Amino acid sequence: MKKREIVIAGNWKMNKTPFEARVLAEAVRERCENAACKVVICVPFVDLFQAKEGLLGSSKIALGAQNVHWAPSGAFTGEISAEMLLSCGTEYVVIGHSERRQYFGETDESVNRRTLAALQAGLKPIVCVGETEREREEGLTESVIARQVKAALTDVDEAALENLIFAYEPVWAIGTGKTATSEQAEEVCRYLRDLVKELYSDAAADALTIQYGGSMNAKNAAELLSMPDIDGGLIGGASLKPDDFAVIVNAGSEKAARL
Ligand code: PGA
């Protein structure tokens, strides 16, 4: 069983033209090339090639996409397959982000299909789960996380789990500047790890990388990453600012050095 990995991933969302993506990827490489943790930039599909160029074959910084279809090819207008992503040098893919669940009809079932297809093709899924503000207020956080995690992992075997990352992203904290406190984030990340322990084994749960996402920034990253069950971050807004992103990556490196 592999050792738990610290992974700091930038989610650029729908930002940057290909030219701008190359410039930003270069800026990230200059600042993060010596990181002791894994660094990923998840960019729009059309930016993949230019972002890869900007990374200049970096072995530390990997390329990610923000969605993948479950079919290998076919009549799915507007979709992208795992093989297409792999052929652009993509290693990771964000699946089930709350913006996709909220605005684009992503369901627990489609998240599972995309996850299985990604794993089968050799892409590493970053599967996003998280409750809305209302669900938290109603005391439903754990049941929502349990439902999303169990659905995403349907038919995923223990060996494949090594290549999968979960990102706990409370919907109320995304892009709002309202970060979960480190205790709130830790509580849910620990709950998620316990679920994986129940579903698989102690070793699988121990090796699993669980990120926190939602207004993570240069100021709060070290504190969030000091929690025992938070093994990285999925960073939106701050990943577009290379200096801020580098501070978060540094916090990730320090955590990796402590493991
Ligand atoms: P944010 O986004 O850091 O801008 O809140 C996080 C995410 O959506 O992955």
Side-chain angles (χ1 to χ4, degrees):
M1 191 47 86
K2 78 169 205 313
K3 195 171 148 252
R4 194 184 304 177
E5 201 176 21
I6 304 300
V7 183
I8 303 292
N11 173 13
W12 291 8
K13 308 194 179 184
M14 195 175 74
N15 292 291
K16 305 296 170 188
T17 62
F19 175 76
E20 293 165 345
R22 184 183 176 130
V23 173
L24 181 54
E26 275 172 10
V28 170
R29 184 182 53 78
E30 277 165 18
R31 288 161 181 78
C32 305
E33 180 60 359
N34 295 318
C37 62
K38 188 83 201 174
V39 181
V40 187
I41 53 172
C42 300
V43 310
F45 294 134
V46 294
D47 293 346
L48 286 166
F49 268 122
Q50 289 299 325
K52 186 82 190 162
E53 291 273 309
L55 294 179
L56 274 179
S58 164
S59 61
K60 271 281 146 58
I61 308 169
L63 191 64
Q66 300 172 12
N67 194 16
V68 63
H69 195 261
W70 50 83
S73 62
F76 299 103
T77 303
E79 292 289 329
I80 303 278
S81 74
E83 193 195 331
M84 291 170 180
L85 293 179
L86 284 165
S87 70
C88 298
T90 311
E91 210 181 309
Y92 292 81
V93 60
V94 175
I95 295 178
H97 190 279
S98 67
E99 286 149 16
R100 296 218 56 87
R101 294 181 192 254
Q102 206 175 337
Y103 308 130
F104 302 102
E106 194 78 73
T107 63
D108 287 342
E109 197 212 338
S110 61
V111 168
N112 176 240
R113 296 178 80 178
R114 295 183 202 278
T115 301
L116 289 169
L119 287 169
Q120 170 114 47
L123 278 172
K124 296 175 181 159
I126 300 176
V127 179
C128 302
V129 297
E131 81 289 359
T132 62
E133 188 152 36
R134 178 130 183 235
E135 287 163 339
R136 176 165 280 262
E137 281 165 6
E138 289 175 357
L140 298 173
T141 301
E142 290 190 353
S143 61
V144 169
I145 299 298
R147 191 198 74 225
Q148 292 177 339
V149 167
K150 284 181 188 161
L153 293 177
T154 304
D155 296 330
V156 173
D157 60 33
E158 185 161 335
L161 202 59
E162 281 197 1
N163 294 316
L164 182 147
I165 293 174
F166 272 110
Y168 166 54
E169 298 208 305
V171 179
W172 48 273
I174 295 177
T176 57
K178 273 200 228 169
T179 325
T181 64
S182 45
E183 289 76 20
Q184 283 173 322
E186 165 65 15
E187 198 180 6
V188 181
C189 291
R190 190 182 49 233
Y191 174 74
L192 200 164
R193 196 179 307 284
D194 285 345
L195 259 176
V196 169
K197 200 177 282 185
E198 254 173 59
L199 294 169
Y200 294 87
S201 67
D202 284 11
D206 208 47
L208 181 69
T209 296
I210 304 177
Q211 298 174 322
Y212 167 77
S215 299
M216 198 172 191
N217 58 40
K219 288 209 174 78
N220 60 25
E223 155 98 31
L224 285 157
L225 290 167
S226 71
M227 303 313 273
D229 290 290
I230 302 180
D231 316 310
L234 183 57
I235 294 105
S239 72
L240 300 171
K241 300 178 199 148
D243 288 334
D244 288 19
F245 189 62
V247 171
I248 302 171
V249 167
N250 271 338
S253 286
E254 279 168 23
K255 170 137 193 174
R258 287 197 299 271
L259 279 191

